[in-house]
Amino acid sequence: MTDPAVKWDPGKTPPGMIEDDHFYPYAMKDGVLYRAARPAGLFIMLRLDTATAGTDAGWVYGTVATDGRATSGGRVTSCMGCHVDATHERLFGVAKAQE
């Protein structure tokens, strides 16, 4: 973060952004404010019933470019190649905390 006057406030439109812009370039972690330089592409997963034809055991994958264009969707081989090895139903990450 280069401007200490900018405060993290998800309810307020940051300077230089239009009101309906969905790119909010700020994130706070451990008391440190970070600002993204630009939007990045998205990797998306949607889960359907495991018996759904044309899916990866119920999973549909997709990618979206920074300009909003869908660049892939469905059974995306490059996504499936990694997610087939995931430890929990095609998902990566830490285990859910015990309640």
Side-chain angles (χ1 to χ4, degrees), residues 29-71:
K29 181 177 182 182
D30 299 328
V32 178
L33 179 67
Y34 296 90
R35 183 183 193 286
R38 63 190 183 285
L42 294 175
F43 300 94
I44 301 167
M45 292 174 66
L46 169 70
R47 188 170 192 182
L48 303 172
D49 185 277
T50 57
T52 304
T55 68
D56 177 32
W59 288 103
V60 178
Y61 304 92
T63 57
V64 178
T66 57
D67 64 3
R69 286 179 303 112
T71 52

Side-chain angles (χ1 to χ4, degrees), residues 64-86:
V64 178
T66 57
D67 64 3
R69 286 179 303 112
T71 52
S72 69
R75 291 178 47 91
V76 179
T77 304
S78 58
C79 297
M80 291 169 41
C82 291
H83 284 275
V84 71
D85 295 328

Side-chain angles (χ1 to χ4, degrees), residues 5-11 24-28 33-34:
V6 175
K7 302 293 185 214
W8 183 73
D9 183 358
Y24 189 75
Y26 300 99
M28 179 146 335
L33 179 67
Y34 296 90

